[in-house]
Amino acid sequence: MIIESKAPTRVDFAGGTLDIWPLYLFHPGAVTVNAAISLYASCVIETHPNRRQPHQAGFPRHQA
């Protein structure tokens, strides 16, 4: 089975990731300024019948 996913990236101008739960709970009144851009992060997950270890694209696979 092959599972593919992609998500838009964003650029943080100020505040970093303080708008993500639960981080904003630790910084009351914090302000974040960011924007989504037309660049996507992508991931492909492929299962193998005889393996249970995931691998990351671009890195060598371990031989079982």
Side-chain angles (χ1 to χ4, degrees), residues 40-60:
Y40 286 82
S42 62
C43 176
V44 177
I45 299 172
E46 182 178 355
T47 59
H48 295 277
N50 297 327
R51 294 178 51 146
R52 294 182 178 255
Q53 295 180 340
H55 67 274
Q56 185 173 354
F59 289 90

Side-chain angles (χ1 to χ4, degrees), residues 12-40:
D12 291 319
F13 298 110
T17 57
L18 293 177
D19 59 333
I20 299 174
W21 184 90
L23 297 178
Y24 65 83
L25 297 174
F26 300 107
H27 302 280
V31 177
T32 299
V33 179
N34 58 39
I37 60 174
S38 297
L39 180 66
Y40 286 82

